[in-house]
Short mmCIF file of all heavy atoms in Angstrom, two decimals:
data_model
loop_
_atom_site.label_atom_id
_atom_site.label_comp_id
_atom_site.label_asym_id
_atom_site.label_seq_id
_atom_site.Cartn_x
_atom_site.Cartn_y
_atom_site.Cartn_z
N THR Q 560 100.85 112.89 100.86
CA THR Q 560 101.99 113.52 101.54
C THR Q 560 102.48 114.62 100.76
O THR Q 560 103.51 115.32 101.26
CB THR Q 560 103.24 112.50 101.62
OG1 THR Q 560 103.61 112.22 100.39
CG2 THR Q 560 102.72 111.18 102.37
N LEU Q 561 101.94 114.95 99.59
CA LEU Q 561 102.47 115.97 98.74
C LEU Q 561 101.91 117.37 98.97
O LEU Q 561 100.73 117.47 99.23
CB LEU Q 561 102.16 115.78 97.21
CG LEU Q 561 102.78 114.36 96.82
CD1 LEU Q 561 102.28 114.10 95.32
CD2 LEU Q 561 104.38 114.34 96.92
N ASN Q 562 102.72 118.30 99.03
CA ASN Q 562 102.20 119.74 99.19
C ASN Q 562 101.90 120.23 97.83
O ASN Q 562 102.04 119.63 96.79
CB ASN Q 562 103.39 120.62 99.77
CG ASN Q 562 103.41 120.50 101.19
OD1 ASN Q 562 102.58 119.78 101.86
ND2 ASN Q 562 104.41 121.14 101.86
N GLU Q 563 101.42 121.56 97.71
CA GLU Q 563 100.98 122.15 96.46
C GLU Q 563 102.10 122.32 95.44
O GLU Q 563 101.93 122.34 94.29
CB GLU Q 563 100.42 123.59 96.74
CG GLU Q 563 98.99 123.48 97.43
CD GLU Q 563 98.47 124.85 97.84
OE1 GLU Q 563 99.11 125.87 97.29
OE2 GLU Q 563 97.40 124.92 98.35
N ASP Q 564 103.26 122.21 95.97
CA ASP Q 564 104.49 122.42 95.15
C ASP Q 564 104.92 121.05 94.59
O ASP Q 564 105.91 120.97 93.78
CB ASP Q 564 105.67 123.02 95.84
CG ASP Q 564 106.23 122.22 96.99
OD1 ASP Q 564 105.68 121.08 97.27
OD2 ASP Q 564 107.16 122.59 97.76
N GLY Q 565 104.09 119.96 94.86
CA GLY Q 565 104.33 118.74 94.36
C GLY Q 565 105.39 117.86 95.05
O GLY Q 565 105.78 116.66 94.65
N LEU Q 566 105.96 118.35 96.17
CA LEU Q 566 107.02 117.73 96.85
C LEU Q 566 106.46 117.25 98.27
O LEU Q 566 105.65 117.88 98.76
CB LEU Q 566 108.23 118.70 97.10
CG LEU Q 566 109.18 119.03 95.93
CD1 LEU Q 566 110.13 120.14 96.32
CD2 LEU Q 566 109.82 117.78 95.53
N PRO Q 567 107.07 116.19 98.74
CA PRO Q 567 106.45 115.59 99.98
C PRO Q 567 106.76 116.57 101.11
O PRO Q 567 107.81 117.24 101.23
CB PRO Q 567 107.35 114.18 100.16
CG PRO Q 567 107.97 113.97 98.92
CD PRO Q 567 108.15 115.31 98.14
N ASP Q 568 105.78 116.49 102.08
CA ASP Q 568 105.92 117.36 103.24
C ASP Q 568 106.35 116.51 104.42
O ASP Q 568 105.63 115.51 104.71
CB ASP Q 568 104.44 118.01 103.65
CG ASP Q 568 104.50 118.83 104.71
OD1 ASP Q 568 105.25 118.68 105.72
OD2 ASP Q 568 103.67 119.78 104.74
N ILE Q 569 107.39 116.74 105.05
CA ILE Q 569 107.99 115.81 105.99
C ILE Q 569 107.12 115.74 107.19
O ILE Q 569 107.02 114.62 107.79
CB ILE Q 569 109.43 116.26 106.58
CG1 ILE Q 569 110.11 115.24 107.34
CG2 ILE Q 569 109.27 117.62 107.27
CD1 ILE Q 569 111.58 115.49 107.64
N LEU Q 570 106.17 116.64 107.42
CA LEU Q 570 105.15 116.54 108.52
C LEU Q 570 104.01 115.82 108.14
O LEU Q 570 103.01 115.51 109.00
CB LEU Q 570 104.95 118.03 109.21
CG LEU Q 570 106.16 118.58 109.83
CD1 LEU Q 570 105.79 119.96 110.31
CD2 LEU Q 570 106.66 117.79 111.03
N LYS Q 571 103.85 115.41 106.94
CA LYS Q 571 102.88 114.55 106.38
C LYS Q 571 103.34 113.06 106.41
O LYS Q 571 102.66 112.15 106.65
CB LYS Q 571 102.22 114.94 105.12
CG LYS Q 571 101.45 116.26 105.23
CD LYS Q 571 101.04 116.69 103.81
CE LYS Q 571 100.25 118.10 103.83
NZ LYS Q 571 99.98 118.69 102.59
N ILE Q 572 104.71 113.02 105.98
CA ILE Q 572 105.33 111.74 105.94
C ILE Q 572 105.38 111.15 107.42
O ILE Q 572 105.29 109.92 107.62
CB ILE Q 572 106.69 111.71 105.32
CG1 ILE Q 572 106.63 112.28 103.97
CG2 ILE Q 572 107.34 110.44 105.44
CD1 ILE Q 572 107.99 112.59 103.38
N LEU Q 573 105.80 111.99 108.33
CA LEU Q 573 106.25 111.60 109.73
C LEU Q 573 107.09 110.45 109.67
O LEU Q 573 106.98 109.30 110.33
CB LEU Q 573 104.93 111.27 110.49
CG LEU Q 573 103.96 112.51 110.73
CD1 LEU Q 573 102.72 112.00 111.34
CD2 LEU Q 573 104.64 113.56 111.50
N PRO Q 574 108.26 110.62 109.22
CA PRO Q 574 109.32 109.53 109.15
C PRO Q 574 109.94 109.28 110.51
O PRO Q 574 109.97 110.22 111.32
CB PRO Q 574 110.38 110.07 108.15
CG PRO Q 574 110.32 111.63 108.45
CD PRO Q 574 108.91 111.95 108.46
N LEU Q 575 110.32 108.01 110.81
CA LEU Q 575 110.98 107.74 112.00
C LEU Q 575 112.43 108.41 111.99
O LEU Q 575 113.08 108.35 110.95
CB LEU Q 575 111.18 106.18 112.14
CG LEU Q 575 109.86 105.51 112.35
CD1 LEU Q 575 110.03 103.94 112.45
CD2 LEU Q 575 108.86 106.02 113.52
N VAL Q 576 112.85 108.93 113.09
CA VAL Q 576 114.17 109.46 113.30
C VAL Q 576 114.86 108.61 114.31
O VAL Q 576 114.44 108.43 115.40
CB VAL Q 576 114.05 110.92 113.93
CG1 VAL Q 576 115.32 111.45 114.21
CG2 VAL Q 576 113.18 111.79 112.97
N TYR Q 577 116.00 108.00 113.81
CA TYR Q 577 116.73 107.00 114.67
C TYR Q 577 117.83 107.61 115.58
O TYR Q 577 118.64 108.39 114.98
CB TYR Q 577 117.27 105.87 113.74
CG TYR Q 577 117.78 104.68 114.48
CD1 TYR Q 577 117.01 103.93 115.37
CD2 TYR Q 577 119.08 104.26 114.40
CE1 TYR Q 577 117.31 102.85 115.97
CE2 TYR Q 577 119.47 103.06 115.12
CZ TYR Q 577 118.62 102.44 115.96
OH TYR Q 577 119.04 101.36 116.50
N ASP Q 578 117.82 107.19 116.74
CA ASP Q 578 118.87 107.54 117.76
C ASP Q 578 119.92 106.35 117.92
O ASP Q 578 119.49 105.30 118.38
CB ASP Q 578 118.20 107.83 119.04
CG ASP Q 578 119.24 107.86 120.18
OD1 ASP Q 578 120.48 108.00 119.91
OD2 ASP Q 578 118.74 107.89 121.34
N THR Q 579 121.10 106.53 117.26
CA THR Q 579 122.02 105.43 117.20
C THR Q 579 122.61 105.09 118.76
O THR Q 579 123.08 103.97 118.95
CB THR Q 579 123.25 105.72 116.43
OG1 THR Q 579 123.76 107.07 116.90
CG2 THR Q 579 122.84 106.00 114.96
N ALA Q 580 122.47 106.01 119.71
CA ALA Q 580 123.09 105.70 120.99
C ALA Q 580 122.12 104.81 121.79
O ALA Q 580 122.62 103.88 122.34
CB ALA Q 580 123.24 106.96 121.71
N HIS Q 581 120.87 105.25 121.78
CA HIS Q 581 119.90 104.46 122.64
C HIS Q 581 118.82 103.59 121.84
O HIS Q 581 117.91 103.13 122.46
CB HIS Q 581 119.30 105.36 123.69
CG HIS Q 581 120.17 105.81 124.62
ND1 HIS Q 581 120.81 107.19 124.66
CD2 HIS Q 581 120.70 105.22 125.75
CE1 HIS Q 581 121.68 107.16 125.56
NE2 HIS Q 581 121.63 106.24 126.29
N LYS Q 582 119.18 103.54 120.55
CA LYS Q 582 118.34 102.68 119.63
C LYS Q 582 116.86 103.02 119.82
O LYS Q 582 115.98 102.02 119.83
CB LYS Q 582 118.63 101.24 120.00
CG LYS Q 582 120.14 100.84 119.84
CD LYS Q 582 120.31 99.32 119.85
CE LYS Q 582 121.84 98.97 120.11
NZ LYS Q 582 122.75 99.74 119.31
N GLY Q 583 116.52 104.30 119.74
CA GLY Q 583 115.22 104.59 119.84
C GLY Q 583 114.67 105.25 118.64
O GLY Q 583 115.37 105.81 117.72
N TYR Q 584 113.37 105.11 118.38
CA TYR Q 584 112.70 105.79 117.20
C TYR Q 584 111.98 107.03 117.77
O TYR Q 584 111.22 106.89 118.67
CB TYR Q 584 111.55 104.86 116.62
CG TYR Q 584 112.15 103.48 116.08
CD1 TYR Q 584 111.57 102.32 116.45
CD2 TYR Q 584 113.01 103.59 115.01
CE1 TYR Q 584 112.08 101.16 115.87
CE2 TYR Q 584 113.54 102.30 114.42
CZ TYR Q 584 112.95 101.10 114.92
OH TYR Q 584 113.44 99.88 114.33
N HIS Q 585 112.42 108.14 117.16
CA HIS Q 585 111.73 109.38 117.56
C HIS Q 585 110.82 109.91 116.44
O HIS Q 585 110.96 109.62 115.25
CB HIS Q 585 112.84 110.44 117.91
CG HIS Q 585 113.51 110.27 119.14
ND1 HIS Q 585 113.30 110.98 120.21
CD2 HIS Q 585 114.46 109.28 119.53
CE1 HIS Q 585 114.06 110.51 121.31
NE2 HIS Q 585 114.62 109.36 120.87
N ALA Q 586 109.90 110.81 116.84
CA ALA Q 586 109.19 111.60 115.95
C ALA Q 586 109.99 112.67 115.39
O ALA Q 586 110.96 113.05 115.91
CB ALA Q 586 107.86 112.07 116.57
N VAL Q 587 109.57 113.32 114.24
CA VAL Q 587 110.11 114.46 113.67
C VAL Q 587 109.43 115.69 114.49
O VAL Q 587 108.26 115.73 114.58
CB VAL Q 587 109.86 114.63 112.25
CG1 VAL Q 587 110.31 116.15 111.74
CG2 VAL Q 587 110.65 113.62 111.49
N GLY Q 588 110.23 116.62 114.85
CA GLY Q 588 109.68 117.79 115.59
C GLY Q 588 109.32 118.93 114.62
O GLY Q 588 109.47 118.74 113.34
N PRO Q 589 109.00 120.05 115.13
CA PRO Q 589 108.48 121.24 114.26
C PRO Q 589 109.68 121.82 113.53
O PRO Q 589 110.86 121.66 113.81
CB PRO Q 589 108.01 122.15 115.23
CG PRO Q 589 108.59 121.80 116.51
CD PRO Q 589 108.86 120.29 116.52
N LEU Q 590 109.35 122.52 112.58
CA LEU Q 590 110.25 123.24 111.65
C LEU Q 590 110.90 124.39 112.60
O LEU Q 590 110.05 125.14 113.25
CB LEU Q 590 109.66 123.86 110.46
CG LEU Q 590 110.47 124.71 109.54
CD1 LEU Q 590 111.40 123.90 108.81
CD2 LEU Q 590 109.68 125.60 108.65
N ILE Q 591 112.20 124.46 112.66
CA ILE Q 591 112.79 125.59 113.42
C ILE Q 591 113.61 126.54 112.62
O ILE Q 591 114.01 127.63 113.08
CB ILE Q 591 113.65 124.97 114.57
CG1 ILE Q 591 114.64 123.95 114.09
CG2 ILE Q 591 112.71 124.35 115.56
CD1 ILE Q 591 115.52 123.54 115.22
N GLY Q 592 113.95 126.23 111.31
CA GLY Q 592 114.64 127.16 110.44
C GLY Q 592 114.69 126.57 109.05
O GLY Q 592 114.52 125.53 108.83
N LYS Q 593 115.19 127.54 108.11
CA LYS Q 593 115.31 127.21 106.73
C LYS Q 593 116.74 127.12 106.37
O LYS Q 593 117.54 128.03 106.67
CB LYS Q 593 114.59 128.04 105.82
CG LYS Q 593 113.03 128.01 105.95
CD LYS Q 593 112.41 126.83 105.45
CE LYS Q 593 112.12 126.89 103.94
NZ LYS Q 593 111.43 125.64 103.42
N ALA Q 594 117.28 126.06 105.63
CA ALA Q 594 118.66 126.13 105.20
C ALA Q 594 118.83 127.12 104.15
O ALA Q 594 117.85 127.45 103.41
CB ALA Q 594 118.89 124.63 104.59
N PHE Q 595 120.10 127.52 104.04
CA PHE Q 595 120.57 128.64 103.03
C PHE Q 595 119.81 129.87 103.43
O PHE Q 595 119.63 130.76 102.62
CB PHE Q 595 120.24 128.18 101.66
CG PHE Q 595 120.77 126.71 101.32
CD1 PHE Q 595 119.92 125.78 101.20
CD2 PHE Q 595 122.12 126.53 101.21
CE1 PHE Q 595 120.37 124.42 100.87
CE2 PHE Q 595 122.68 125.34 101.01
CZ PHE Q 595 121.77 124.30 100.85
N SER Q 596 119.25 130.02 104.65
CA SER Q 596 118.60 131.25 105.08
C SER Q 596 118.85 131.64 106.52
O SER Q 596 119.20 132.76 106.83
CB SER Q 596 117.06 130.95 104.93
OG SER Q 596 116.27 132.05 105.39
N ALA Q 597 118.77 130.64 107.39
CA ALA Q 597 118.94 130.88 108.84
C ALA Q 597 120.29 131.51 109.16
O ALA Q 597 120.44 132.29 110.05
CB ALA Q 597 118.82 129.58 109.61
N GLY Q 598 121.35 131.13 108.33
CA GLY Q 598 122.60 131.61 108.48
C GLY Q 598 122.95 132.98 107.82
O GLY Q 598 124.16 133.59 108.05
N LYS Q 599 122.07 133.59 107.12
CA LYS Q 599 122.36 134.69 106.37
C LYS Q 599 122.74 135.92 107.22
O LYS Q 599 123.31 136.82 106.79
CB LYS Q 599 121.14 135.02 105.38
CG LYS Q 599 121.18 134.11 104.22
CD LYS Q 599 120.24 134.72 103.11
CE LYS Q 599 120.16 133.78 101.88
NZ LYS Q 599 119.01 134.11 101.04
N LYS Q 600 122.19 135.91 108.42
CA LYS Q 600 122.45 137.02 109.25
C LYS Q 600 123.93 137.17 109.72
O LYS Q 600 124.32 138.26 110.20
CB LYS Q 600 121.52 136.87 110.62
CG LYS Q 600 121.79 135.69 111.53
CD LYS Q 600 120.91 135.69 112.64
CE LYS Q 600 119.49 135.23 112.32
NZ LYS Q 600 118.71 134.79 113.40
N LEU Q 601 124.72 136.06 109.43
CA LEU Q 601 126.14 136.15 109.73
C LEU Q 601 126.97 136.66 108.44
O LEU Q 601 128.21 136.78 108.58
CB LEU Q 601 126.56 134.86 110.19
CG LEU Q 601 126.16 134.37 111.68
CD1 LEU Q 601 126.55 132.97 111.89
CD2 LEU Q 601 126.59 135.48 112.71
#
Side-chain angles (χ1 to χ4, degrees):
Chain Q
T560 66
L561 301 177
N562 280 354
E563 287 177 6
D564 63 6
L566 288 171
D568 184 327
I569 194 170
L570 295 176
K571 294 177 182 169
I572 300 170
L573 298 175
L575 297 178
V576 173
Y577 190 60
D578 164 15
T579 56
H581 291 100
K582 306 190 193 317
Y584 297 124
H585 284 255
V587 172
L590 180 70
I591 55 176
K593 294 286 277 182
F595 312 106
S596 171
K599 281 187 180 171
K600 64 182 76 164
L601 293 175

